[in-house]
Amino acid sequence: MSTEARKPPAQIALKIRRVLGGKTGWNGIAVQLVFAAILGWIGYEIVSNARANLENQHIAAGFGFLRNNAGFDVNQTLISYTGSDTFLRVFVVGLLNTLVVSVVGIVFATVIGFIVALCRLSPNWLLSRIGEIYVEIIRNLPVLFQILFWYLAVLAALPNPRQSISLFGIAFVSNRGLVIPRPIGESGFEAFLAVLVFGIVASLSLRFYARRALFQRGQVIRIWPYMLGLLFGLPLVTMLVSGLPFTFELPQLKGFNFAGGSRVIPEFVALTLALSTYTAAFIAEIVRAGILSVHKGQMEAGASLGLSRGSTLRLIVVPQAMRVIVPPLTNQYLNLTKNSSLAVAIGYPDLVSVWAGTSLSQTGQAIEIIAMTMGVYLLISLLTSAIMSVYGWRVSRSLGA
Amino acid sequence: MSDIASSVYVRRDLLAERPAPVKTTGFVGLVRTRLLNSPTNILITIVSALLLWFTIVPSVKFLFVDAVWTGTDRTACLTENGACWPYIQAKLPQLIYGFYPEAERWRVDLTFFLAAVLLVPMLIPRLPAKGLNASLFFFAFPVVSFFLLLGGGITGFGLSWTAGLLQLFDDSIIGAGQVLLNLSKTSAIAPLLWVLGNLIVLVGTAIYWLIFPLTWLRDQLEGTGQSVWTDFAITTAAVSLISFVMGGGVRTGWRPLASTIVTFIAIAIVIKLMGLDHGGLPVVQTRLWGGLLVTLVVSVAGIVTSLPIGIALALGRRSTIPLIRIFSIAFIEFWRGVPLITVLFFATYMLPLFLPGNFTVDGLVRALIGIALFTGAYQAENVRGGLAAIPRGQGEAAAALGLSWWKTTSLIVLPQALRHVIPNLVNSFISLFKDTSLVSIVALFDLLGSLRASFADPKWSAPSTLFTGFAFAGIIYFLFCFGMSRYSLFVENRLNAHRRN
């Protein structure tokens, strides 16, 4: 009797079955076929209905309308724009406005959020209660409510430009928005910029070199005086040599309004205020949870190694807290960007307002315009989540090592 | 031994009493330890107290001390610098009911009352019959409140609806086949299209003859006068029979049969009470709805519809069948990646284009569809978290007992998973409730929209009305959201009771 091992059965069929049908095998494939048929049927219904409806309404499908003249004005543009520009340019203008309000909002939200988190963690009872009240009130009111509150109630209650509130005589707040000094480039601007960039690059490479020296040879190099010199001293010297890089044009009250300076429209002010205070409440909770998630023993272990309290926080507690904080924090940044679409309620010319609002009502190209709007937001959020998964992979790798 | 004994020191006289330690409990202790224990803390306390003084005192002064309590129009509010409460009093019906006709407002009140009666026992964990309660709230209440709020009656029942739906489906299949046949006359791959088209038409025709008895019966019923009740009787008989057979026939089928019959008797009572068989209540168009009514309708409808969508998507995302998994992932990530306002724009402007031309969808329903899809995607991620928290052993044990996938999921895995994620679900409901305010952008008058509309009234235009209106709406929103968040904390504590030591 032969004792040779039996040949294993052919695996290829099993593998194909597994790939095509999952764990359930042929049943899974049958389910998929039915599902694909239903999806195909729905898709067919949508396309045929859309075609019929568009024909009835005499709307030509396609993106040709992008090259037509828009014919309406936008009250805040980062790039030059007039009513005779194309719809494509309207799209870009709206997108840039969305991005600028998001970036400004994110900066303010982070700052306020960290401050409120520190307040909530403060040993002072009164201060931590104030932080808690802030978080509870802001989180339990709709963000649209807050946007409208700032825009309709608070900003409208501000005085008119003639009696505007002056901030140290350089900026003015009124119901027409915020007027701030406008920087004007002078002759020394290019040299200043070049020196500044050089200073940043040089200090970064200095820091890189110092860290390598510390980790590889155990040598501590004190670099902060050099960095200070590179970042502030060098630009100062350049300014002395080649003159001021820019001067500020101060706003002046002339007649009923301000002349000079740059004007920030009230819609922008209201939207930024509402979005940053709203998101800050969520960020505060995230930061607080992150810092509380680091075990008390870490602080004690750092102290027993002889590190100072500051170094323990900087080198031990904060990196571990950041690991917990960063993913939800990015999520909040994304939420803020998405919430900036509520600008349409107060007429700030963001993507939804000028593109899915004004342009849609002018052209009637609902499918193309809404698909483009959704596509932009989808792209932003997919990009962010891709970056976050890279970050998560790096964190898990550095923890594993 | 004696060494040790001699080295022991025994005190002979009592120590003098030490003063009592500084009190660290109670109000005084709190002040000592957490407010004034160091110079920096004293400074922080003073600054905080000043901050509170400059925010709370003016608010209280505005809301109560300086407020105007009586008046008939704006003149009363122009003199004082405080809140203008008569304005809220005058606008209260608009803020709660919108333009709902005054004579019919009892229907809204009744719906609110029904919702409260069903919701309160469901939220108190000690009370029994959670299953019945939940099914009433999630299935019976939406239907009843639909007919109560909108009005109108029914002309048929289960049989005619099923027949109509199947016929619609079949017509679409045959239509698609016909289109393919037409294409095959001009296309390059004509034979393939011809075969495919004929096949689809054949399937459609087969289905037509399959459902012919149903459609025939429906047409006969429509001829007679008492179509609703005959239809109802037939549906009852059919569903009872199915539940009896599915429940295990003569052996174990009696219980399902009884519960089915009881359910249908309840439905019959509701139909009779509301007079649905002959017209029902007068119809109130949804464009007349407004205020808190719309806010609550949108939130409750969103809660009720998003949960099944979320569960289905979460199960789909965990499925091993490739197409279903990919579809679920794409669906979830798409709706989570776009802002709600674009979803509402999509539902308002794009959805009507995708539906057959003779098929118009009400504005409120369009917003509801958008919100259901959007919230469903978020709920799917919550439910998925719960499913991931269930140990594999649970599913494997169920499989070892011989339960099918459906039974494993519905009896073993899902109940545990859902219980795990109740706090997350409630948190989603809070954001949903807040997000309902966005429907005011697509021309629906919810609480915020009604508030905004009421600002436009010249009769009440005074500097203080804006702040008064926002204060009032803010308090309503805050009460609802804060209540829900406290409830979610309560549930979380209850769920984690075994982990506390």
Side-chain angles (χ1 to χ4, degrees):
Chain A
M1 208 167 93
S2 116
T3 52
E4 268 177 43
R6 270 187 298 170
K7 270 189 190 169
Q11 292 287 313
I12 186 85
L14 282 177
K15 268 188 190 158
I16 290 175
R17 210 180 81 166
R18 185 71 198 253
V19 167
L20 289 180
K23 256 185 201 162
T24 37
W26 301 122
N27 278 350
I29 295 175
V31 169
Q32 282 182 77
L33 281 179
V34 173
F35 190 65
I38 294 174
L39 278 189
W41 177 64
I42 293 174
Y44 160 76
E45 278 289 303
I46 286 177
V47 171
S48 69
N49 285 335
R51 188 175 290 162
N53 285 328
L54 287 180
E55 255 170 39
N56 281 343
Q57 296 175 16
H58 307 291
I59 298 171
F63 289 94
F65 74 98
L66 285 177
R67 282 189 293 279
N68 295 352
N69 280 353
F72 58 87
D73 265 328
V74 179
N75 62 351
Q76 179 193 310
T77 56
L78 291 183
I79 53 176
S80 70
Y81 168 83
T82 57
S84 58
D85 276 318
T86 59
F87 276 110
L88 189 63
R89 202 160 176 91
V90 175
F91 175 73
V92 177
V93 165
L95 181 58
L96 286 177
N97 281 341
T98 291
L99 290 180
V100 80
V101 80
S102 309
V103 169
V104 175
I106 283 173
V107 171
F108 280 118
T110 314
V111 173
I112 303 172
F114 273 78
I115 292 174
V116 174
L118 290 183
C119 287
R120 285 210 68 179
L121 289 168
S122 154
N124 188 301
W125 182 82
L126 202 58
L127 194 61
S128 68
R129 277 306 95 87
I130 289 180
E132 201 180 327
I133 292 171
Y134 173 85
V135 169
E136 285 297 343
I137 288 183
I138 297 281
R139 279 208 314 182
N140 284 319
L141 292 176
V143 62
L144 183 62
F145 173 89
Q146 297 185 33
I147 292 174
L148 289 179
F149 173 73
W150 287 111
Y151 184 65
L152 292 179
V154 176
L155 285 192
L158 287 174
N160 58 18
R162 287 184 67 83
Q163 279 107 35
S164 60
I165 303 161
S166 152
L167 303 174
F168 312 112
I170 49 171
F172 298 90
V173 183
S174 68
N175 57 8
R176 300 274 192 85
L178 177 72
V179 189
I180 51 172
R182 180 167 54 183
I184 299 173
E186 296 272 334
S187 56
F189 187 65
E190 282 92 10
F192 176 79
L193 204 67
V195 167
L196 198 67
V197 170
F198 169 76
I200 291 171
V201 171
S203 14
L204 280 180
S205 43
L206 203 64
R207 186 182 137 82
F208 182 69
Y209 169 74
R211 281 188 82 84
R212 265 181 78 119
L214 177 68
F215 288 147
Q216 293 187 341
R217 302 196 296 277
Q219 186 186 4
V220 181
I221 306 174
R222 178 181 293 181
I223 53 165
W224 65 263
Y226 304 104
M227 278 172 83
L228 215 62
L230 280 171
L231 284 179
F232 295 99
L234 217 53
L236 268 177
V237 172
T238 336
M239 258 158 80
L240 289 179
V241 173
S242 63
L244 282 174
F246 43 75
T247 52
F248 287 102
E249 184 195 40
L250 289 180
Q252 303 278 322
L253 189 63
K254 289 221 176 102
F256 288 106
N257 215 334
F258 283 97
S262 28
R263 201 171 75 92
V264 182
I265 55 174
E267 289 83 13
F268 182 87
V269 177
L271 193 61
T272 315
L273 259 172
L275 286 180
S276 49
T277 46
Y278 181 76
T279 315
F282 290 86
I283 290 179
E285 286 299 277
I286 289 167
V287 172
R288 174 168 160 269
I291 290 177
L292 287 181
S293 78
V294 179
H295 198 263
K296 205 170 64 178
Q298 299 286 325
M299 200 76 193
E300 291 162 4
S304 74
L305 284 174
L307 294 174
S308 72
R309 196 182 141 81
S311 317
T312 319
L313 271 177
R314 194 162 51 84
L315 297 173
I316 295 174
V317 176
V318 170
Q320 296 187 67
M322 282 319 267
R323 200 164 38 106
V324 182
I325 290 173
V326 168
L329 191 65
T330 359
N331 226 342
Q332 287 306 324
Y333 289 166
L334 209 56
N335 274 349
L336 190 146
T337 313
K338 287 196 260 171
N339 281 338
S340 74
S341 58
L342 295 180
V344 67
I346 57 170
Y348 172 75
D350 84 319
L351 185 64
V352 172
S353 175
V354 297
W355 188 241
T358 321
S359 300
L360 176 60
S361 61
Q362 297 246 329
T363 61
Q365 306 272 359
I367 295 180
E368 295 84 356
I369 284 181
I370 290 174
M372 276 172 86
T373 316
M374 285 180 142
V376 166
Y377 286 104
L378 200 59
L379 195 69
I380 294 175
S381 68
L382 287 182
L383 271 182
T384 317
S385 64
I387 294 171
M388 276 332 291
S389 54
V390 170
Y391 172 84
W393 172 74
R394 277 194 53 172
V395 163
S396 64
R397 198 186 55 169
S398 73
L399 281 183
Chain B
M1 195 71 185
S2 63
D3 265 6
I4 296 167
S6 69
S7 70
V8 170
Y9 166 77
V10 180
R11 180 185 287 280
R12 304 276 165 144
D13 44 348
L14 283 173
L15 265 176
E17 251 177 34
R18 277 196 280 175
V22 176
K23 201 176 168 195
T24 54
T25 54
F27 178 71
V28 182
L30 183 99
V31 170
R32 273 200 190 117
T33 52
R34 300 200 48 195
L35 288 178
L36 307 172
N37 56 339
S38 71
T40 22
N41 243 355
I42 293 177
L43 191 71
I44 292 176
T45 306
I46 292 171
V47 172
S48 315
L50 282 178
L51 193 68
L52 280 184
W53 182 262
F54 283 116
T55 50
I56 289 186
V57 171
S59 324
V60 171
K61 238 177 126 181
F62 176 80
L63 289 179
F64 303 110
V65 181
D66 290 346
V68 180
W69 297 94
T70 50
T72 48
D73 60 359
R74 65 194 282 263
T75 46
C77 300
L78 283 175
T79 49
E80 288 282 346
N81 216 0
C84 183
W85 293 117
Y87 155 72
I88 294 293
Q89 226 170 7
K91 294 287 174 188
L92 197 62
Q94 195 190 335
L95 291 179
I96 293 181
Y97 307 103
F99 299 107
Y100 211 88
E102 212 166 336
E104 305 290 334
R105 279 183 191 156
W106 62 270
R107 285 153 59 176
V108 181
D109 294 336
L110 184 61
T111 315
F112 287 163
F113 175 74
L114 275 180
V117 163
L118 287 175
L119 204 57
V120 169
M122 198 159 81
L123 297 182
I124 299 174
R126 259 181 315 177
L127 294 181
K130 282 277 173 292
L132 178 71
N133 200 332
S135 60
L136 278 180
F137 183 75
F138 279 99
F139 299 110
F141 173 67
V143 179
V144 170
S145 56
F146 172 81
F147 285 111
L148 204 53
L149 290 175
L150 186 69
I154 47 177
T155 52
F157 202 69
L159 184 102
S160 10
W161 295 339
T162 320
L165 209 65
L166 285 175
Q167 204 172 27
L168 205 69
F169 180 65
D170 193 41
D171 288 348
S172 164
I173 290 180
I174 294 178
Q178 233 94 44
V179 168
L180 276 184
L181 280 182
N182 280 340
L183 273 180
S184 75
K185 285 170 195 155
T186 54
S187 171
I189 46 166
L192 186 69
L193 284 182
W194 187 81
V195 170
L196 208 62
N198 264 332
L199 201 69
I200 291 176
V201 171
L202 201 69
V203 169
T205 321
I207 293 178
Y208 174 77
W209 287 111
L210 213 64
I211 62 172
F212 181 72
L214 269 180
T215 45
W216 178 81
L217 206 57
R218 182 194 55 179
D219 295 341
Q220 291 301 309
L221 278 179
E222 269 170 14
T224 68
Q226 280 290 317
S227 66
V228 173
W229 289 110
T230 327
D231 193 340
F232 182 82
I234 295 173
T235 314
T236 312
V239 174
S240 305
L241 192 68
I242 291 173
S243 74
F244 180 67
V245 174
M246 295 285 278
V250 193
R251 200 159 48 87
T252 53
W254 299 107
R255 232 184 118 88
L257 180 69
S259 57
T260 316
I261 289 175
V262 168
T263 313
F264 272 96
I265 289 173
I267 294 174
I269 292 172
V270 170
I271 291 178
K272 196 73 210 168
L273 265 181
M274 295 175 63
L276 295 180
D277 49 337
H278 41 261
L281 296 161
V283 174
V284 181
Q285 294 295 333
T286 54
R287 63 191 162 75
L288 295 177
W289 301 15
L292 193 61
L293 170 66
V294 165
T295 296
L296 289 178
V297 163
V298 173
S299 345
V300 171
I303 289 171
V304 169
T305 49
S306 71
L307 206 55
I309 295 177
I311 291 174
L313 283 174
L315 291 175
R317 194 167 182 170
R318 280 171 65 85
S319 153
T320 55
I321 301 172
L323 187 64
I324 289 183
R325 195 179 63 235
I326 292 169
F327 174 80
S328 305
I329 292 177
F331 195 88
I332 292 172
E333 293 304 326
F334 177 76
W335 293 114
R336 277 162 54 92
V338 294
L340 179 57
I341 187 68
T342 59
V343 175
L344 289 176
F345 271 82
F346 162 83
T348 317
Y349 298 116
M350 228 159 130
L351 207 59
L353 291 177
F354 291 163
L355 295 171
N358 52 0
F359 203 81
T360 51
V361 185
D362 187 82
L364 184 65
V365 177
R366 274 183 276 180
L368 282 181
I369 293 173
I371 284 183
L373 293 175
F374 182 80
T375 317
Y378 279 85
Q379 295 295 28
E381 287 301 277
N382 284 337
V383 175
R384 190 166 72 106
L387 289 174
I390 304 302
R392 279 172 69 99
Q394 296 286 328
E396 286 165 3
L401 286 175
L403 297 186
S404 67
W405 182 86
W406 289 104
K407 280 192 171 162
T408 309
T409 306
S410 62
L411 297 176
I412 312 286
V413 178
L414 258 187
Q416 300 185 59
L418 287 182
R419 201 161 299 159
H420 262 289
V421 291
I422 290 176
N424 301 16
L425 294 179
V426 177
N427 285 344
S428 289
F429 294 152
I430 297 177
S431 8
L432 170 64
F433 185 80
K434 289 193 290 177
D435 284 343
T436 55
S437 57
L438 266 64
V439 297
S440 64
I441 295 178
V442 287
L444 291 172
F445 287 95
D446 73 322
L447 179 57
L448 199 58
S450 303
L451 182 73
R452 227 183 148 173
S454 76
F455 289 151
D457 186 355
K459 193 183 163 198
W460 286 101
S461 98
S464 56
T465 46
L466 282 168
F467 282 99
T468 315
F470 275 114
F472 177 75
I475 288 169
I476 291 184
Y477 276 118
F478 184 82
L479 284 182
F480 273 98
C481 296
F482 189 72
M484 281 196 271
S485 77
R486 286 298 113 158
Y487 180 73
S488 124
L489 275 183
F490 161 73
V491 174
E492 206 172 337
N493 280 335
R494 233 180 97 84
L495 287 175
N496 292 337
H498 60 284
R499 284 197 205 129
R500 261 183 280 139
N501 41 9

